[in-house]
Amino acid sequence: QVQLVESGGDLVQVGGSLRLSCVVSGMSVESKSIGWYREAPGKEREGVSCSRGSDGTSKYADSVKDRFSTSRDNGKNTVYLQMNDLKLDDTAVYYCATKCSLYYGDTYYSDYYGMNYFGEGTLVTVSS
């Protein structure tokens, strides 16, 4: 059974940084894309980044580009989301998933390999 567990969420001030972790069990993340999503209060869940398993590159939504970055440790079956220069609008529950879907510019990017698992999320609260 595939499971994803996020951690690292916290209360942080505007301009601060956090690193979220997504530990995956039940499948190897090597060569698999892992997406990060967030859901803010009163808003729909949105994709913010994709760590592509095919070539090791990442895609980012415009709202987080140049502030967020992903990395992975295939040996630990873990994907990370480094978040810098956090803003009030970044307050949300962050989820990782065994798929990617996000918008950047006019482009919709999707990477789905038949698995639709999400973790339970970790809360990031940015305060002024």
Side-chain angles (χ1 to χ4, degrees), residues 55-105:
D55 60 7
T57 62
S58 296
K59 301 288 187 185
Y60 302 96
D62 289 344
S63 58
V64 306
K65 187 181 178 183
D66 298 328
R67 299 187 298 119
F68 290 13
S69 62
T70 63
S71 61
R72 55 170 65 203
D73 185 334
N74 289 333
K76 294 183 178 180
N77 229 33
T78 300
V79 179
Y80 303 97
L81 181 67
Q82 177 67 42
M83 306 187 297
N84 298 327
D85 189 22
L86 283 162
K87 305 179 184 302
L88 294 174
D89 286 347
D90 294 321
T91 294
V93 178
Y94 285 73
Y95 304 86
C96 57
T98 55
K99 67 174 187 178
C100 295
S101 52
L102 59 91
Y103 289 91
Y104 62 96

mmCIF file of all heavy atoms in Angstrom, residues 55-105:
data_model
loop_
_atom_site.group_PDB
_atom_site.id
_atom_site.type_symbol
_atom_site.label_atom_id
_atom_site.label_comp_id
_atom_site.label_asym_id
_atom_site.label_seq_id
_atom_site.Cartn_x
_atom_site.Cartn_y
_atom_site.Cartn_z
ATOM 1 N N ASP A 55 13.642 13.039 -15.327
ATOM 2 C CA ASP A 55 14.912 13.704 -15.617
ATOM 3 C C ASP A 55 15.464 14.506 -14.446
ATOM 4 O O ASP A 55 16.480 15.185 -14.591
ATOM 5 C CB ASP A 55 14.752 14.622 -16.833
ATOM 6 C CG ASP A 55 13.705 15.703 -16.639
ATOM 7 O OD1 ASP A 55 13.178 15.832 -15.511
ATOM 8 O OD2 ASP A 55 13.396 16.408 -17.615
ATOM 9 N N GLY A 56 14.783 14.454 -13.320
ATOM 10 C CA GLY A 56 15.294 15.135 -12.131
ATOM 11 C C GLY A 56 15.057 16.620 -12.094
ATOM 12 O O GLY A 56 15.501 17.296 -11.168
ATOM 13 N N THR A 57 14.351 17.136 -13.087
ATOM 14 C CA THR A 57 14.056 18.569 -13.070
ATOM 15 C C THR A 57 12.754 18.808 -12.301
ATOM 16 O O THR A 57 12.069 17.864 -11.891
ATOM 17 C CB THR A 57 13.923 19.123 -14.492
ATOM 18 O OG1 THR A 57 12.834 18.485 -15.150
ATOM 19 C CG2 THR A 57 15.206 18.882 -15.278
ATOM 20 N N SER A 58 12.425 20.082 -12.138
ATOM 21 C CA SER A 58 11.219 20.429 -11.398
ATOM 22 C C SER A 58 10.445 21.501 -12.138
ATOM 23 O O SER A 58 11.014 22.285 -12.900
ATOM 24 C CB SER A 58 11.569 20.928 -9.996
ATOM 25 O OG SER A 58 12.185 19.914 -9.238
ATOM 26 N N LYS A 59 9.170 21.509 -11.922
ATOM 27 C CA LYS A 59 8.284 22.538 -12.441
ATOM 28 C C LYS A 59 7.671 23.268 -11.255
ATOM 29 O O LYS A 59 7.408 22.654 -10.215
ATOM 30 C CB LYS A 59 7.171 21.926 -13.290
ATOM 31 C CG LYS A 59 7.647 21.121 -14.488
ATOM 32 C CD LYS A 59 8.198 21.987 -15.570
ATOM 33 C CE LYS A 59 8.505 21.170 -16.828
ATOM 34 N NZ LYS A 59 9.155 21.995 -17.870
ATOM 35 N N TYR A 60 7.387 24.555 -11.434
ATOM 36 C CA TYR A 60 6.824 25.349 -10.347
ATOM 37 C C TYR A 60 5.696 26.233 -10.858
ATOM 38 O O TYR A 60 5.767 26.780 -11.961
ATOM 39 C CB TYR A 60 7.898 26.241 -9.721
ATOM 40 C CG TYR A 60 9.078 25.474 -9.186
ATOM 41 C CD1 TYR A 60 10.227 25.296 -9.934
ATOM 42 C CD2 TYR A 60 9.014 24.890 -7.919
ATOM 43 C CE1 TYR A 60 11.298 24.570 -9.446
ATOM 44 C CE2 TYR A 60 10.082 24.163 -7.424
ATOM 45 C CZ TYR A 60 11.223 24.010 -8.192
ATOM 46 O OH TYR A 60 12.270 23.279 -7.699
ATOM 47 N N ALA A 61 4.703 26.397 -10.016
ATOM 48 C CA ALA A 61 3.657 27.363 -10.310
ATOM 49 C C ALA A 61 4.239 28.769 -10.231
ATOM 50 O O ALA A 61 5.218 29.011 -9.497
ATOM 51 C CB ALA A 61 2.518 27.214 -9.313
ATOM 52 N N ASP A 62 3.655 29.682 -10.974
ATOM 53 C CA ASP A 62 4.167 31.050 -10.999
ATOM 54 C C ASP A 62 4.193 31.679 -9.603
ATOM 55 O O ASP A 62 5.078 32.468 -9.293
ATOM 56 C CB ASP A 62 3.304 31.912 -11.930
ATOM 57 C CG ASP A 62 3.498 31.551 -13.389
ATOM 58 O OD1 ASP A 62 4.486 30.863 -13.716
ATOM 59 O OD2 ASP A 62 2.649 31.966 -14.204
ATOM 60 N N SER A 63 3.226 31.306 -8.786
ATOM 61 C CA SER A 63 3.110 31.920 -7.460
ATOM 62 C C SER A 63 4.281 31.575 -6.540
ATOM 63 O O SER A 63 4.505 32.263 -5.544
ATOM 64 C CB SER A 63 1.799 31.497 -6.799
ATOM 65 O OG SER A 63 1.735 30.085 -6.706
ATOM 66 N N VAL A 64 5.028 30.510 -6.854
ATOM 67 C CA VAL A 64 6.123 30.098 -5.969
ATOM 68 C C VAL A 64 7.467 30.051 -6.671
ATOM 69 O O VAL A 64 8.499 29.800 -6.043
ATOM 70 C CB VAL A 64 5.839 28.722 -5.330
ATOM 71 C CG1 VAL A 64 4.490 28.728 -4.624
ATOM 72 C CG2 VAL A 64 5.906 27.595 -6.354
ATOM 73 N N LYS A 65 7.441 30.295 -7.963
ATOM 74 C CA LYS A 65 8.683 30.217 -8.738
ATOM 75 C C LYS A 65 9.723 31.171 -8.165
ATOM 76 O O LYS A 65 9.402 32.288 -7.771
ATOM 77 C CB LYS A 65 8.400 30.554 -10.202
ATOM 78 C CG LYS A 65 9.587 30.347 -11.116
ATOM 79 C CD LYS A 65 9.232 30.731 -12.543
ATOM 80 C CE LYS A 65 10.447 30.568 -13.442
ATOM 81 N NZ LYS A 65 10.171 31.002 -14.825
ATOM 82 N N ASP A 66 10.942 30.746 -8.126
ATOM 83 C CA ASP A 66 12.090 31.495 -7.613
ATOM 84 C C ASP A 66 12.110 31.596 -6.095
ATOM 85 O O ASP A 66 13.053 32.166 -5.530
ATOM 86 C CB ASP A 66 12.156 32.911 -8.212
ATOM 87 C CG ASP A 66 12.326 32.910 -9.711
ATOM 88 O OD1 ASP A 66 12.974 31.977 -10.227
ATOM 89 O OD2 ASP A 66 11.790 33.817 -10.372
ATOM 90 N N ARG A 67 11.101 31.053 -5.423
ATOM 91 C CA ARG A 67 11.103 31.027 -3.960
ATOM 92 C C ARG A 67 11.108 29.590 -3.418
ATOM 93 O O ARG A 67 11.678 29.331 -2.359
ATOM 94 C CB ARG A 67 9.880 31.758 -3.409
ATOM 95 C CG ARG A 67 9.800 33.216 -3.795
ATOM 96 C CD ARG A 67 8.659 33.927 -3.073
ATOM 97 N NE ARG A 67 7.353 33.378 -3.395
ATOM 98 C CZ ARG A 67 6.529 32.841 -2.513
ATOM 99 N NH1 ARG A 67 6.869 32.776 -1.234
ATOM 100 N NH2 ARG A 67 5.351 32.367 -2.900
ATOM 101 N N PHE A 68 10.462 28.693 -4.127
ATOM 102 C CA PHE A 68 10.384 27.297 -3.701
ATOM 103 C C PHE A 68 11.273 26.452 -4.602
ATOM 104 O O PHE A 68 11.468 26.757 -5.788
ATOM 105 C CB PHE A 68 8.960 26.769 -3.810
ATOM 106 C CG PHE A 68 7.975 27.322 -2.817
ATOM 107 C CD1 PHE A 68 8.257 28.437 -2.033
ATOM 108 C CD2 PHE A 68 6.726 26.729 -2.674
ATOM 109 C CE1 PHE A 68 7.344 28.939 -1.121
ATOM 110 C CE2 PHE A 68 5.799 27.215 -1.777
ATOM 111 C CZ PHE A 68 6.108 28.328 -1.009
ATOM 112 N N SER A 69 11.795 25.387 -4.051
ATOM 113 C CA SER A 69 12.566 24.437 -4.839
ATOM 114 C C SER A 69 12.364 23.036 -4.281
ATOM 115 O O SER A 69 12.096 22.868 -3.083
ATOM 116 C CB SER A 69 14.053 24.802 -4.850
ATOM 117 O OG SER A 69 14.579 24.746 -3.538
ATOM 118 N N THR A 70 12.479 22.051 -5.150
ATOM 119 C CA THR A 70 12.332 20.669 -4.716
ATOM 120 C C THR A 70 13.661 19.943 -4.837
ATOM 121 O O THR A 70 14.512 20.294 -5.663
ATOM 122 C CB THR A 70 11.276 19.916 -5.537
ATOM 123 O OG1 THR A 70 11.714 19.858 -6.901
ATOM 124 C CG2 THR A 70 9.933 20.598 -5.467
ATOM 125 N N SER A 71 13.796 18.935 -4.031
ATOM 126 C CA SER A 71 14.941 18.036 -4.118
ATOM 127 C C SER A 71 14.465 16.671 -3.660
ATOM 128 O O SER A 71 13.342 16.533 -3.147
ATOM 129 C CB SER A 71 16.107 18.528 -3.259
ATOM 130 O OG SER A 71 15.732 18.596 -1.893
ATOM 131 N N ARG A 72 15.282 15.682 -3.858
ATOM 132 C CA ARG A 72 14.871 14.347 -3.447
ATOM 133 C C ARG A 72 16.084 13.540 -3.028
ATOM 134 O O ARG A 72 17.202 13.786 -3.481
ATOM 135 C CB ARG A 72 14.114 13.624 -4.555
ATOM 136 C CG ARG A 72 14.840 13.530 -5.881
ATOM 137 C CD ARG A 72 14.116 12.592 -6.823
ATOM 138 N NE ARG A 72 12.793 13.062 -7.210
ATOM 139 C CZ ARG A 72 11.825 12.258 -7.642
ATOM 140 N NH1 ARG A 72 12.030 10.957 -7.702
ATOM 141 N NH2 ARG A 72 10.653 12.753 -7.995
ATOM 142 N N ASP A 73 15.825 12.588 -2.174
ATOM 143 C CA ASP A 73 16.820 11.603 -1.760
ATOM 144 C C ASP A 73 16.211 10.249 -2.054
ATOM 145 O O ASP A 73 15.401 9.732 -1.271
ATOM 146 C CB ASP A 73 17.141 11.768 -0.271
ATOM 147 C CG ASP A 73 18.251 10.853 0.200
ATOM 148 O OD1 ASP A 73 18.447 9.787 -0.426
ATOM 149 O OD2 ASP A 73 18.908 11.182 1.193
ATOM 150 N N ASN A 74 16.565 9.690 -3.191
ATOM 151 C CA ASN A 74 15.965 8.417 -3.587
ATOM 152 C C ASN A 74 16.308 7.302 -2.597
ATOM 153 O O ASN A 74 15.505 6.387 -2.392
ATOM 154 C CB ASN A 74 16.407 8.035 -4.994
ATOM 155 C CG ASN A 74 15.788 8.928 -6.048
ATOM 156 O OD1 ASN A 74 14.704 9.488 -5.861
ATOM 157 N ND2 ASN A 74 16.477 9.085 -7.170
ATOM 158 N N GLY A 75 17.473 7.383 -1.982
ATOM 159 C CA GLY A 75 17.857 6.369 -1.003
ATOM 160 C C GLY A 75 16.946 6.364 0.207
ATOM 161 O O GLY A 75 16.684 5.323 0.812
ATOM 162 N N LYS A 76 16.433 7.540 0.563
ATOM 163 C CA LYS A 76 15.498 7.650 1.689
ATOM 164 C C LYS A 76 14.047 7.662 1.217
ATOM 165 O O LYS A 76 13.133 7.822 2.024
ATOM 166 C CB LYS A 76 15.788 8.922 2.486
ATOM 167 C CG LYS A 76 17.144 8.914 3.187
ATOM 168 C CD LYS A 76 17.327 10.187 4.007
ATOM 169 C CE LYS A 76 18.666 10.165 4.740
ATOM 170 N NZ LYS A 76 18.878 11.403 5.547
ATOM 171 N N ASN A 77 13.871 7.547 -0.104
ATOM 172 C CA ASN A 77 12.516 7.591 -0.667
ATOM 173 C C ASN A 77 11.769 8.838 -0.202
ATOM 174 O O ASN A 77 10.583 8.783 0.155
ATOM 175 C CB ASN A 77 11.731 6.332 -0.295
ATOM 176 C CG ASN A 77 11.067 5.697 -1.502
ATOM 177 O OD1 ASN A 77 11.576 5.732 -2.612
ATOM 178 N ND2 ASN A 77 9.899 5.101 -1.284
ATOM 179 N N THR A 78 12.452 9.947 -0.234
ATOM 180 C CA THR A 78 11.924 11.201 0.310
ATOM 181 C C THR A 78 12.105 12.327 -0.696
ATOM 182 O O THR A 78 13.140 12.429 -1.360
ATOM 183 C CB THR A 78 12.648 11.551 1.621
ATOM 184 O OG1 THR A 78 12.436 10.492 2.575
ATOM 185 C CG2 THR A 78 12.131 12.857 2.202
ATOM 186 N N VAL A 79 11.090 13.164 -0.776
ATOM 187 C CA VAL A 79 11.132 14.362 -1.612
ATOM 188 C C VAL A 79 10.935 15.564 -0.698
ATOM 189 O O VAL A 79 10.125 15.519 0.234
ATOM 190 C CB VAL A 79 10.044 14.310 -2.701
ATOM 191 C CG1 VAL A 79 10.071 15.564 -3.550
ATOM 192 C CG2 VAL A 79 10.231 13.071 -3.572
ATOM 193 N N TYR A 80 11.666 16.629 -0.984
ATOM 194 C CA TYR A 80 11.640 17.815 -0.140
ATOM 195 C C TYR A 80 11.100 19.018 -0.914
ATOM 196 O O TYR A 80 11.267 19.102 -2.133
ATOM 197 C CB TYR A 80 13.049 18.143 0.350
ATOM 198 C CG TYR A 80 13.714 17.013 1.096
ATOM 199 C CD1 TYR A 80 14.592 16.153 0.449
ATOM 200 C CD2 TYR A 80 13.447 16.814 2.446
ATOM 201 C CE1 TYR A 80 15.206 15.108 1.134
ATOM 202 C CE2 TYR A 80 14.055 15.776 3.138
ATOM 203 C CZ TYR A 80 14.928 14.925 2.481
ATOM 204 O OH TYR A 80 15.516 13.895 3.158
ATOM 205 N N LEU A 81 10.509 19.935 -0.173
ATOM 206 C CA LEU A 81 10.091 21.212 -0.731
ATOM 207 C C LEU A 81 10.705 22.302 0.140
ATOM 208 O O LEU A 81 10.308 22.480 1.292
ATOM 209 C CB LEU A 81 8.568 21.347 -0.745
ATOM 210 C CG LEU A 81 8.023 22.651 -1.336
ATOM 211 C CD1 LEU A 81 8.319 22.728 -2.840
ATOM 212 C CD2 LEU A 81 6.522 22.791 -1.091
ATOM 213 N N GLN A 82 11.687 22.988 -0.416
ATOM 214 C CA GLN A 82 12.322 24.108 0.282
ATOM 215 C C GLN A 82 11.553 25.375 -0.055
ATOM 216 O O GLN A 82 11.390 25.701 -1.236
ATOM 217 C CB GLN A 82 13.782 24.257 -0.145
ATOM 218 C CG GLN A 82 14.494 25.440 0.464
ATOM 219 C CD GLN A 82 14.687 25.295 1.967
ATOM 220 O OE1 GLN A 82 15.024 24.225 2.461
ATOM 221 N NE2 GLN A 82 14.464 26.384 2.696
ATOM 222 N N MET A 83 11.102 26.061 0.966
ATOM 223 C CA MET A 83 10.287 27.261 0.767
ATOM 224 C C MET A 83 11.006 28.447 1.385
ATOM 225 O O MET A 83 11.251 28.464 2.593
ATOM 226 C CB MET A 83 8.913 27.075 1.409
ATOM 227 C CG MET A 83 8.193 25.819 0.949
ATOM 228 S SD MET A 83 6.498 25.707 1.546
ATOM 229 C CE MET A 83 6.783 25.616 3.290
ATOM 230 N N ASN A 84 11.348 29.402 0.572
ATOM 231 C CA ASN A 84 12.052 30.608 1.024
ATOM 232 C C ASN A 84 11.194 31.838 0.799
ATOM 233 O O ASN A 84 10.241 31.812 0.007
ATOM 234 C CB ASN A 84 13.372 30.761 0.273
ATOM 235 C CG ASN A 84 14.320 29.608 0.512
ATOM 236 O OD1 ASN A 84 14.348 29.021 1.592
ATOM 237 N ND2 ASN A 84 15.103 29.260 -0.500
ATOM 238 N N ASP A 85 11.539 32.906 1.484
ATOM 239 C CA ASP A 85 10.849 34.183 1.324
ATOM 240 C C ASP A 85 9.327 33.978 1.413
ATOM 241 O O ASP A 85 8.566 34.408 0.533
ATOM 242 C CB ASP A 85 11.222 34.826 -0.017
ATOM 243 C CG ASP A 85 10.720 36.248 -0.152
ATOM 244 O OD1 ASP A 85 10.467 36.895 0.886
ATOM 245 O OD2 ASP A 85 10.550 36.713 -1.301
ATOM 246 N N LEU A 86 8.906 33.325 2.448
ATOM 247 C CA LEU A 86 7.492 32.988 2.593
ATOM 248 C C LEU A 86 6.629 34.234 2.740
ATOM 249 O O LEU A 86 7.018 35.230 3.380
ATOM 250 C CB LEU A 86 7.299 32.059 3.778
ATOM 251 C CG LEU A 86 7.714 30.613 3.485
ATOM 252 C CD1 LEU A 86 7.938 29.825 4.769
ATOM 253 C CD2 LEU A 86 6.657 29.919 2.634
ATOM 254 N N LYS A 87 5.442 34.161 2.154
ATOM 255 C CA LYS A 87 4.491 35.271 2.164
ATOM 256 C C LYS A 87 3.214 34.827 2.863
ATOM 257 O O LYS A 87 2.963 33.634 3.053
ATOM 258 C CB LYS A 87 4.182 35.687 0.719
ATOM 259 C CG LYS A 87 5.421 36.033 -0.099
ATOM 260 C CD LYS A 87 5.064 36.397 -1.502
ATOM 261 C CE LYS A 87 6.286 36.646 -2.367
ATOM 262 N NZ LYS A 87 7.160 37.711 -1.845
ATOM 263 N N LEU A 88 2.414 35.815 3.241
ATOM 264 C CA LEU A 88 1.155 35.489 3.914
ATOM 265 C C LEU A 88 0.303 34.540 3.071
ATOM 266 O O LEU A 88 -0.351 33.633 3.617
ATOM 267 C CB LEU A 88 0.374 36.763 4.221
ATOM 268 C CG LEU A 88 0.994 37.716 5.239
ATOM 269 C CD1 LEU A 88 0.170 38.998 5.331
ATOM 270 C CD2 LEU A 88 1.109 37.059 6.610
ATOM 271 N N ASP A 89 0.321 34.727 1.760
ATOM 272 C CA ASP A 89 -0.490 33.900 0.863
ATOM 273 C C ASP A 89 0.002 32.457 0.778
ATOM 274 O O ASP A 89 -0.666 31.617 0.168
ATOM 275 C CB ASP A 89 -0.512 34.500 -0.547
ATOM 276 C CG ASP A 89 -1.385 35.744 -0.626
ATOM 277 O OD1 ASP A 89 -2.153 35.981 0.327
ATOM 278 O OD2 ASP A 89 -1.301 36.477 -1.628
ATOM 279 N N ASP A 90 1.159 32.169 1.329
ATOM 280 C CA ASP A 90 1.650 30.794 1.328
ATOM 281 C C ASP A 90 1.038 29.969 2.462
ATOM 282 O O ASP A 90 1.262 28.751 2.525
ATOM 283 C CB ASP A 90 3.171 30.774 1.465
ATOM 284 C CG ASP A 90 3.875 31.390 0.265
ATOM 285 O OD1 ASP A 90 3.404 31.159 -0.864
ATOM 286 O OD2 ASP A 90 4.880 32.093 0.464
ATOM 287 N N THR A 91 0.291 30.605 3.336
ATOM 288 C CA THR A 91 -0.372 29.874 4.415
ATOM 289 C C THR A 91 -1.348 28.861 3.839
ATOM 290 O O THR A 91 -2.241 29.209 3.061
ATOM 291 C CB THR A 91 -1.121 30.845 5.340
ATOM 292 O OG1 THR A 91 -0.181 31.686 6.008
ATOM 293 C CG2 THR A 91 -1.952 30.092 6.366
ATOM 294 N N ALA A 92 -1.159 27.595 4.179
ATOM 295 C CA ALA A 92 -1.977 26.526 3.615
ATOM 296 C C ALA A 92 -1.556 25.197 4.234
ATOM 297 O O ALA A 92 -0.522 25.103 4.896
ATOM 298 C CB ALA A 92 -1.801 26.449 2.098
ATOM 299 N N VAL A 93 -2.373 24.196 3.976
ATOM 300 C CA VAL A 93 -1.952 22.816 4.238
ATOM 301 C C VAL A 93 -1.269 22.325 2.968
ATOM 302 O O VAL A 93 -1.821 22.448 1.873
ATOM 303 C CB VAL A 93 -3.143 21.916 4.593
ATOM 304 C CG1 VAL A 93 -2.676 20.485 4.799
ATOM 305 C CG2 VAL A 93 -3.844 22.440 5.842
ATOM 306 N N TYR A 94 -0.072 21.780 3.134
ATOM 307 C CA TYR A 94 0.719 21.310 2.010
ATOM 308 C C TYR A 94 0.689 19.785 1.963
ATOM 309 O O TYR A 94 0.873 19.112 2.980
ATOM 310 C CB TYR A 94 2.150 21.809 2.114
ATOM 311 C CG TYR A 94 2.285 23.268 1.757
ATOM 312 C CD1 TYR A 94 1.823 24.258 2.618
ATOM 313 C CD2 TYR A 94 2.835 23.667 0.542
ATOM 314 C CE1 TYR A 94 1.907 25.608 2.284
ATOM 315 C CE2 TYR A 94 2.940 25.011 0.196
ATOM 316 C CZ TYR A 94 2.459 25.967 1.072
ATOM 317 O OH TYR A 94 2.550 27.303 0.731
ATOM 318 N N TYR A 95 0.454 19.283 0.754
ATOM 319 C CA TYR A 95 0.360 17.853 0.521
ATOM 320 C C TYR A 95 1.362 17.432 -0.552
ATOM 321 O O TYR A 95 1.625 18.179 -1.496
ATOM 322 C CB TYR A 95 -1.028 17.483 0.004
ATOM 323 C CG TYR A 95 -2.187 17.895 0.866
ATOM 324 C CD1 TYR A 95 -2.759 19.161 0.752
ATOM 325 C CD2 TYR A 95 -2.744 17.013 1.784
ATOM 326 C CE1 TYR A 95 -3.838 19.538 1.538
ATOM 327 C CE2 TYR A 95 -3.831 17.380 2.569
ATOM 328 C CZ TYR A 95 -4.361 18.641 2.437
ATOM 329 O OH TYR A 95 -5.435 19.006 3.215
ATOM 330 N N CYS A 96 1.859 16.220 -0.425
ATOM 331 C CA CYS A 96 2.591 15.631 -1.540
ATOM 332 C C CYS A 96 1.733 14.513 -2.127
ATOM 333 O O CYS A 96 0.837 13.977 -1.454
ATOM 334 C CB CYS A 96 3.969 15.138 -1.125
ATOM 335 S SG CYS A 96 4.003 13.918 0.217
ATOM 336 N N ALA A 97 2.016 14.184 -3.368
ATOM 337 C CA ALA A 97 1.155 13.236 -4.081
ATOM 338 C C ALA A 97 1.945 12.474 -5.127
ATOM 339 O O ALA A 97 2.991 12.933 -5.605
ATOM 340 C CB ALA A 97 0.004 13.985 -4.753
ATOM 341 N N THR A 98 1.399 11.341 -5.509
ATOM 342 C CA THR A 98 2.025 10.509 -6.540
ATOM 343 C C THR A 98 1.544 10.921 -7.918
ATOM 344 O O THR A 98 1.204 10.093 -8.767
ATOM 345 C CB THR A 98 1.714 9.032 -6.295
ATOM 346 O OG1 THR A 98 0.285 8.868 -6.223
ATOM 347 C CG2 THR A 98 2.367 8.520 -5.020
ATOM 348 N N LYS A 99 1.501 12.213 -8.138
ATOM 349 C CA LYS A 99 1.151 12.761 -9.435
ATOM 350 C C LYS A 99 1.480 14.248 -9.403
ATOM 351 O O LYS A 99 1.767 14.811 -8.345
ATOM 352 C CB LYS A 99 -0.333 12.561 -9.751
ATOM 353 C CG LYS A 99 -1.274 13.350 -8.856
ATOM 354 C CD LYS A 99 -2.708 13.198 -9.332
ATOM 355 C CE LYS A 99 -3.647 14.105 -8.585
ATOM 356 N NZ LYS A 99 -5.041 13.985 -9.088
ATOM 357 N N CYS A 100 1.452 14.874 -10.551
ATOM 358 C CA CYS A 100 1.701 16.309 -10.647
ATOM 359 C C CYS A 100 0.623 16.949 -11.512
ATOM 360 O O CYS A 100 0.194 16.362 -12.513
ATOM 361 C CB CYS A 100 3.050 16.580 -11.316
ATOM 362 S SG CYS A 100 4.484 16.018 -10.390
ATOM 363 N N SER A 101 0.244 18.149 -11.125
ATOM 364 C CA SER A 101 -0.637 18.954 -11.965
ATOM 365 C C SER A 101 -0.519 20.396 -11.482
ATOM 366 O O SER A 101 -0.775 20.690 -10.324
ATOM 367 C CB SER A 101 -2.088 18.473 -11.884
ATOM 368 O OG SER A 101 -2.529 18.380 -10.541
ATOM 369 N N LEU A 102 -0.101 21.247 -12.371
ATOM 370 C CA LEU A 102 0.059 22.651 -11.981
ATOM 371 C C LEU A 102 0.072 23.522 -13.230
ATOM 372 O O LEU A 102 0.265 23.052 -14.338
ATOM 373 C CB LEU A 102 1.352 22.832 -11.175
ATOM 374 C CG LEU A 102 2.673 22.444 -11.834
ATOM 375 C CD1 LEU A 102 3.302 23.621 -12.559
ATOM 376 C CD2 LEU A 102 3.653 21.909 -10.802
ATOM 377 N N TYR A 103 -0.158 24.816 -12.993
ATOM 378 C CA TYR A 103 -0.099 25.795 -14.056
ATOM 379 C C TYR A 103 1.155 26.646 -13.882
ATOM 380 O O TYR A 103 1.489 27.056 -12.770
ATOM 381 C CB TYR A 103 -1.322 26.711 -14.020
ATOM 382 C CG TYR A 103 -2.600 26.064 -14.440
ATOM 383 C CD1 TYR A 103 -3.439 25.443 -13.520
ATOM 384 C CD2 TYR A 103 -2.993 26.067 -15.778
ATOM 385 C CE1 TYR A 103 -4.621 24.845 -13.915
ATOM 386 C CE2 TYR A 103 -4.180 25.471 -16.180
ATOM 387 C CZ TYR A 103 -4.975 24.870 -15.244
ATOM 388 O OH TYR A 103 -6.150 24.277 -15.635
ATOM 389 N N TYR A 104 1.840 26.916 -14.958
ATOM 390 C CA TYR A 104 2.876 27.940 -14.958
ATOM 391 C C TYR A 104 2.774 28.708 -16.268
ATOM 392 O O TYR A 104 2.717 28.121 -17.333
ATOM 393 C CB TYR A 104 4.278 27.346 -14.742
ATOM 394 C CG TYR A 104 4.760 26.387 -15.785
ATOM 395 C CD1 TYR A 104 5.571 26.812 -16.830
ATOM 396 C CD2 TYR A 104 4.423 25.035 -15.707
ATOM 397 C CE1 TYR A 104 6.032 25.920 -17.771
ATOM 398 C CE2 TYR A 104 4.883 24.136 -16.640
ATOM 399 C CZ TYR A 104 5.684 24.583 -17.678
ATOM 400 O OH TYR A 104 6.131 23.701 -18.622
ATOM 401 N N GLY A 105 2.677 30.025 -16.139
ATOM 402 C CA GLY A 105 2.379 30.827 -17.309
ATOM 403 C C GLY A 105 1.042 30.412 -17.885
ATOM 404 O O GLY A 105 0.049 30.258 -17.175
#
